[in-house]
Amino acid sequence: MSATYVHGYHRRENERLQDQAGTLVDLLHSDTSYPAGSVILEAGCGVGAQTVTLAQRSPGARFMSVDASADSVAEAKRTAEAAGLTNVLFQQADIFDLPFAPETFDHVFVCFVLEHLSRPVDALAILNRQLRPGGTMTVIEGDHGSTYFHPDSSAAHRAIQCLVELQRQGGGNALIGRQLYPLMVEADLEAVHVSPRMVYVDSSRPDLVDGFIRKTFTAMIEGARESAIAAGIIGPDAFDAGVRDLYRTAEADGVFCYTFFKGVGEKRRRA
Amino acid sequence: MSATYVHGYHRRENERLQDQAGTLVDLLHSDTSYPAGSVILEAGCGVGAQTVTLAQRSPGARFMSVDASADSVAEAKRTAEAAGLTNVLFQQADIFDLPFAPETFDHVFVCFVLEHLSRPVDALAILNRQLRPGGTMTVIEGDHGSTYFHPDSSAAHRAIQCLVELQRQGGGNALIGRQLYPLMVEADLEAVHVSPRMVYVDSSRPDLVDGFIRKTFTAMIEGARESAIAAGIIGPDAFDAGVRDLYRTAEADGVFCYTFFKGVGEKRRRA
């Protein structure tokens, strides 16, 4: 998994994930909090960008945050310590080889992970087995195919398509957000409810212009430049033209739209 | 204007507009109501699909609903009478040649109209002159470029693109929803606020599966079949394959997303 992580493990990428969590935190997480005493598995915590938000919003809950990358886990641990968190344990572990007994957790939280997996339903089914009956699973994913903007630009869409294609070549799916409902149902979760979280940005919202258009989305696309060129998906001039047009949408008459999806389902109770 | 109305003036189209208003009424209109005694211009009322909702939600307000098509106005009048409305007057009038004095209205309401106009900013500026200082303008538009679904299908996207192209050939813009903010600002409205209204449909929402995927969106695309083929934009087989794939998204594992945009702005007060 870690070898094909399309965004890469660079410092700038870490900063981007933190910026993203900072800007989008309310949109994505404001309706997630866990009762005191409950035990939550955060599967694929990465560098801890979501962990801090999660753990701070549920100070009485205890979190086990795991990631396949030992380096990411180490970074997440530093981030959590810097934030003064005392209710999170970190462990290096792969979703497909978890070291926990079945039904260990009251809740499972998975954010920006399925997009990188070639077997997302298998991953959800494995995580489902970690839940006690009646426990909940929360899944958050983006969908790059939900991106549109003004001024429209085919060059910009081609640059975005590079990331979609790289992720596909790595076995992932950058368009997975729209599929959360059928994926969670197929993984045998019950009472699945998916809600879209659309980021709409125009110049009346300067924080999002900077925080989302520039520092989150376009920075993510730019981060794929070398890989996309090396993979022969696009030439440097075409890529740079697309990125320029994405930045163009951050000007006064520009508009930018992107949608995340959040799904919540329940572990089936015994009959 | 009426000659190039891309959806056509057919009975089925009228039913589609009514279905659309019935299904989407809360999403689009629940936050629009006008105080008793206020006078509102509904510009481009068509067959009255929105008029009934508007007038019922603001029983103490008085509406002047106009449309460029005399046939549509006659149909709207019948619809309003059937609904028992007593607070609406209808008049045949073109937005670009309105028979009212400046600053006649407290509020202006425009829904699914700008998409058909080659000069949307001019239309908004003309309507702005009809407003008293401090009055509000409400604008609602769709955006066919906001459409995505699961299973994804390039054939379905090509069928949708036919409607976009027909509307472009008619001088309109089927991607106008995302542009509401810059258009309203350019028309000199103040305090413009645009909010997206996303229709997210999966099989946990059977009313929307039927009411939106089948009866609203796909029916609208199907309605453009003969025109698209006659215009040489697409062949019948390719078009039909696209429509089949749109209906496919209404099955149990399908997902469908579309976004409307609603903008509200104020007429500038005198300095």
Side-chain angles (χ1 to χ4, degrees):
Chain A
M1 219 159 47
S2 66
T4 61
Y5 189 72
V6 71
H7 302 312
Y9 287 101
H10 309 301
R11 172 147 300 281
R12 176 149 190 213
E13 174 61 19
N14 291 355
E15 284 166 8
R16 186 186 69 76
L17 288 174
Q18 301 289 355
D19 280 344
Q20 178 170 301
T23 308
L24 301 173
V25 67
D26 285 333
L27 183 71
L28 299 182
H29 302 301
S30 63
D31 52 351
T32 296
S33 69
Y34 298 108
S38 58
V39 182
I40 297 105
L41 172 63
E42 185 193 8
C45 65
V47 298
Q50 322 301 328
T51 312
V52 174
T53 299
L54 265 187
Q56 283 176 341
R57 285 178 181 255
S58 300
R62 286 172 296 144
F63 293 84
M64 170 59 75
S65 295
V66 306
D67 198 90
S69 155
D71 286 350
S72 290
V73 168
E75 174 80 18
K77 214 167 175 172
R78 282 192 292 274
T79 301
E81 279 164 12
L85 297 181
T86 56
N87 57 338
V88 187
L89 291 175
F90 291 95
Q91 187 165 335
Q92 190 262 319
D94 194 298
I95 288 175
F96 292 98
D97 186 24
L98 290 171
F100 312 113
E103 306 192 2
T104 296
F105 297 96
D106 298 303
H107 305 285
V108 168
F109 181 87
V110 199
C111 183
F112 305 146
V113 172
L114 298 187
E115 59 169 323
H116 301 294
L117 306 180
S118 57
R119 295 154 47 209
V121 172
D122 290 351
L124 290 174
I126 286 168
L127 292 171
N128 197 14
R129 287 199 279 279
Q130 297 288 318
L131 276 175
R132 66 162 170 79
T136 70
M137 179 152 4
T138 299
V139 186
I140 300 176
E141 293 290 340
D143 188 316
H144 296 354
S146 74
T147 314
Y148 54 98
F149 33 78
H150 174 74
D152 202 1
S153 155
S154 52
H157 281 291
R158 274 194 297 276
I160 295 167
Q161 194 55 35
C162 291
L163 198 53
V164 174
E165 178 57 24
L166 283 172
Q167 205 142 336
R168 197 191 62 76
Q169 289 180 5
N173 178 4
L175 313 179
I176 202 166
R178 72 189 73 174
Q179 294 189 40
L180 281 192
Y181 181 82
L183 293 172
M184 292 176 77
V185 168
E186 196 180 341
D188 200 36
L189 287 152
E190 276 195 322
V192 174
H193 178 80
V194 171
S195 57
R197 310 286 164 113
M198 183 172 172
V199 185
Y200 165 80
V201 192
D202 61 37
S203 58
S204 70
R205 307 176 191 206
D207 287 357
L208 282 174
V209 169
D210 194 54
F212 192 78
I213 302 182
R214 293 196 188 100
K215 289 190 177 150
T216 298
F217 188 84
T218 307
M220 174 184 70
I221 300 299
E222 269 192 301
R225 185 179 191 277
E226 307 314 320
S227 311
I229 294 168
I233 300 171
I234 198 168
D237 291 350
F239 189 88
D240 294 344
V243 167
R244 263 198 311 277
D245 285 355
L246 287 173
Y247 280 117
R248 167 68 182 86
T249 69
E251 292 182 24
D253 65 346
V255 174
F256 194 93
C257 301
Y258 186 92
T259 300
F260 297 90
F261 293 82
K262 183 170 186 172
V264 180
E266 278 182 31
K267 165 74 165 263
R268 196 174 289 280
R269 291 168 203 272
R270 291 180 193 91
Chain B
M1 221 159 45
S2 66
T4 61
Y5 188 72
V6 70
H7 302 313
Y9 289 101
H10 309 301
R11 172 146 301 280
R12 177 152 188 211
E13 174 62 19
N14 291 356
E15 283 166 8
R16 188 187 68 78
L17 288 174
Q18 301 289 354
D19 280 343
Q20 177 170 302
T23 309
L24 301 173
V25 67
D26 285 333
L27 183 71
L28 299 183
H29 301 300
S30 62
D31 53 349
T32 296
S33 70
Y34 298 107
S38 58
V39 182
I40 296 106
L41 173 63
E42 184 194 9
C45 64
V47 297
Q50 322 302 328
T51 311
V52 175
T53 300
L54 264 185
Q56 283 176 340
R57 285 178 180 256
S58 300
R62 287 172 295 146
F63 292 84
M64 170 59 74
S65 294
V66 306
D67 198 272
S69 156
D71 286 350
S72 291
V73 168
E75 174 80 17
K77 213 167 177 173
R78 281 191 293 274
T79 303
E81 279 164 13
L85 296 181
T86 56
N87 57 338
V88 187
L89 291 174
F90 291 95
Q91 189 165 334
Q92 190 263 319
D94 193 298
I95 288 176
F96 292 99
D97 187 24
L98 290 171
F100 312 112
E103 306 192 0
T104 296
F105 296 96
D106 298 304
H107 305 284
V108 168
F109 180 88
V110 199
C111 184
F112 305 146
V113 173
L114 298 187
E115 59 169 323
H116 301 294
L117 306 180
S118 57
R119 295 154 46 209
V121 172
D122 290 351
L124 290 174
I126 286 167
L127 293 171
N128 197 13
R129 288 199 278 280
Q130 297 287 318
L131 277 175
R132 65 161 170 78
T136 70
M137 177 150 8
T138 299
V139 187
I140 301 177
E141 293 290 340
D143 188 317
H144 295 354
S146 74
T147 314
Y148 53 98
F149 33 78
H150 174 73
D152 202 2
S153 154
S154 52
H157 281 291
R158 274 194 298 274
I160 296 167
Q161 193 56 34
C162 291
L163 197 54
V164 174
E165 179 58 23
L166 283 172
Q167 205 143 337
R168 197 193 61 76
Q169 290 179 5
N173 178 4
L175 314 179
I176 203 166
R178 73 189 73 173
Q179 293 188 39
L180 281 193
Y181 181 83
L183 292 173
M184 292 176 76
V185 168
E186 196 180 340
D188 201 35
L189 287 153
E190 275 194 322
V192 175
H193 178 80
V194 171
S195 57
R197 310 287 164 114
M198 184 172 172
V199 185
Y200 166 80
V201 192
D202 62 37
S203 57
S204 70
R205 308 176 190 207
D207 286 358
L208 283 173
V209 169
D210 194 54
F212 192 77
I213 302 181
R214 293 196 187 100
K215 289 189 177 151
T216 298
F217 189 84
T218 308
M220 174 183 71
I221 299 299
E222 270 192 299
R225 185 179 190 276
E226 308 314 319
S227 311
I229 294 168
I233 300 172
I234 198 168
D237 291 349
F239 188 88
D240 294 343
V243 167
R244 262 198 312 278
D245 285 355
L246 287 173
Y247 281 117
R248 168 66 182 85
T249 70
E251 293 182 23
D253 65 345
V255 175
F256 194 93
C257 301
Y258 186 91
T259 299
F260 296 90
F261 292 82
K262 182 170 186 172
V264 179
E266 279 182 30
K267 165 74 165 262
R268 197 174 289 280
R269 291 168 202 272
R270 292 178 192 89

